[in-house]
Amino acid sequence: MKKLYTFCFLFGISFLLRAQDSTAVQTPDTVKVGTYVISVHDINFHEKEYTARFWLWFVYDNPEFDFSKQLDIPNAKAIEPPEIIMDSVEGKTWAIMKMKCTMKERWDVRDFPFDSQHLRVQIENTLFDKDKLIFSPDVKGSQFDHDDAIDGWTITNFRVERNENLYETGFGDPSSNAQTFSSFNILMDIERDAWGLFLKIFIGMYIAFLISIVSFTPHPSELEPRFGLPVGGLFAAVGNKYIIDSLLPESSSFTLVDTLHALTFVAILMTLIVSAISLKMVDRGNEAMALSVNRNGGKIVVGTYVLANIIFIVMALA
């Protein structure tokens, strides 16, 4: 009986040791990672991209990690070869990398130019999934250059966080249908004081509208200026629309740019309709009615146009 107890005791100890070894193997290594954003520039809405320059640092124990070769930024269009500094801190490997990346971005231009954007840079290790490597963000040390980080915009919310990115593939491994990698995310919310830009891009449209309403000043019987001025303003407004569209990405949603130009097109059309009605009254010999239609129609067109512009601009600012 004593031998049986001894055997059971030794078997239990052996089982616990194997379980501890198994747990140790499954525990992923932690990598402390942080960033300092130097600049965000070359923001290009039409090409859906921007360029980011930033420092990254990694502090870790596992000698198998080599971020100079294993670093990946999945949402980058292009990554220039980084400048790498290798050192040690408190007995751990300390890798510092200066990065320059062309990032792809889905710009939200519904309220352009009163838009705010959300930027994200996603950092991963290409070789080790979350079972082998977990990022630990250096929240306190991660910052951005408050003076020169981005021109024309203001960074309203900067933060770093850890996330997980699921790939629904085993990358050729028949024993796995999916892999999950730990990711380090750099997140920035940016916005701008856009009134100057608004005036620059919409001044042509508003001048085109002003040209069209000048047609209310000649007598209703003067055919050429009454119809020539609105048509000329219409072509100018269409040209302004094409210029702005060349700056923006293709979008299926109706943006502020589309709305304001559509209002201008409709207002110019209404100007032509008022002129046509006034001319018809003159042809019938009712000049007093023609002048009344011209005067009141002009007030309605201008007032409605101004009010609608104010409403849609305030909605974009909200």
Side-chain angles (χ1 to χ4, degrees), residues 65-134:
F65 297 160
D66 184 358
F67 287 95
S68 64
K69 299 177 181 178
Q70 300 166 359
L71 182 70
D72 185 32
I73 304 178
N75 61 329
K77 282 187 175 182
I79 305 173
E80 291 192 5
E83 299 178 22
I84 304 172
I85 302 172
M86 300 300 297
D87 206 338
S88 62
V89 56
E90 297 179 352
K92 298 183 177 182
T93 302
W94 182 16
I96 309 172
M97 307 172 68
K98 188 176 183 181
M99 310 293 300
K100 182 178 181 181
C101 308
T102 300
M103 305 298 302
K104 55 186 177 183
E105 188 60 57
R106 296 177 182 177
W107 303 112
D108 183 357
V109 295
R110 288 173 295 179
D111 296 328
F112 177 86
F114 302 108
D115 53 316
S116 58
Q117 303 294 339
H118 178 72
L119 308 183
R120 179 176 64 94
V121 180
Q122 181 177 323
I123 313 295
E124 293 182 6
N125 185 291
T126 58
L127 189 58
F128 298 97
D129 62 15
K130 72 168 188 174
D131 294 331
K132 302 290 181 60
L133 183 155
I134 292 291

Side-chain angles (χ1 to χ4, degrees), residues 12-267:
I13 293 295
S14 176
F15 177 79
L16 290 174
L17 290 175
R18 285 198 300 270
Q20 289 178 353
D21 290 342
S22 175
T23 302
V25 170
Q26 293 177 358
T27 301
D29 289 308
T30 299
V31 176
K32 185 177 182 181
V33 54
T35 186
Y36 182 81
V37 177
I38 304 170
S39 67
V40 175
H41 53 277
D42 293 343
I43 294 176
N44 190 323
F45 282 160
H46 190 264
E47 298 297 330
K48 300 181 181 180
E49 67 181 26
Y50 66 93
T51 300
R53 295 173 61 244
F54 53 95
W55 288 96
L56 282 176
W57 57 85
F58 304 90
V59 181
Y60 53 92
D61 286 314
N62 194 329
E64 295 182 2
F65 297 160
D66 184 358
F67 287 95
S68 64
K69 299 177 181 178
Q70 300 166 359
L71 182 70
D72 185 32
I73 304 178
N75 61 329
K77 282 187 175 182
I79 305 173
E80 291 192 5
E83 299 178 22
I84 304 172
I85 302 172
M86 300 300 297
D87 206 338
S88 62
V89 56
E90 297 179 352
K92 298 183 177 182
T93 302
W94 182 16
I96 309 172
M97 307 172 68
K98 188 176 183 181
M99 310 293 300
K100 182 178 181 181
C101 308
T102 300
M103 305 298 302
K104 55 186 177 183
E105 188 60 57
R106 296 177 182 177
W107 303 112
D108 183 357
V109 295
R110 288 173 295 179
D111 296 328
F112 177 86
F114 302 108
D115 53 316
S116 58
Q117 303 294 339
H118 178 72
L119 308 183
R120 179 176 64 94
V121 180
Q122 181 177 323
I123 313 295
E124 293 182 6
N125 185 291
T126 58
L127 189 58
F128 298 97
D129 62 15
K130 72 168 188 174
D131 294 331
K132 302 290 181 60
L133 183 155
I134 292 291
F135 285 123
S136 175
D138 183 358
V139 176
K140 184 178 180 180
S142 298
Q143 297 290 335
F144 65 93
D145 190 324
H146 290 266
D147 295 326
D148 301 319
I150 185 168
D151 291 331
W153 297 76
T154 301
I155 298 178
T156 57
N157 185 19
F158 176 88
R159 64 190 186 279
V160 294
E161 66 180 22
R162 182 181 69 193
N163 209 334
E164 293 183 353
N165 192 17
L166 172 64
Y167 294 91
E168 296 182 353
T169 176
F171 298 99
D173 183 358
S175 65
S176 174
N177 295 323
Q179 282 188 295
T180 303
F181 287 79
S182 180
S183 68
F184 171 71
N185 293 342
I186 307 169
L187 306 171
M188 291 175 282
D189 293 330
I190 61 174
E191 61 182 31
R192 56 185 165 194
D193 182 6
W195 282 108
L197 178 61
F198 176 83
L199 292 176
K200 286 181 180 179
I201 63 177
F202 285 106
I203 188 70
M205 182 192 74
Y206 288 126
I207 289 178
F209 175 72
L210 291 175
I211 290 173
S212 69
I213 64 175
V214 171
S215 63
F216 288 124
T217 57
H219 192 273
S221 62
E222 296 184 23
L223 183 62
E224 185 174 343
R226 296 284 298 191
F227 289 91
L229 289 173
V231 171
L234 179 62
F235 279 108
V238 171
N240 190 81
K241 176 71 162 57
Y242 276 111
I243 291 173
I244 299 177
D245 283 346
S246 68
L247 304 175
L248 303 178
E250 294 183 3
S251 174
S252 58
S253 60
F254 215 62
T255 66
L256 179 65
V257 171
D258 298 323
T259 301
L260 296 185
H261 279 90
L263 284 173
T264 303
F265 299 153
V266 172

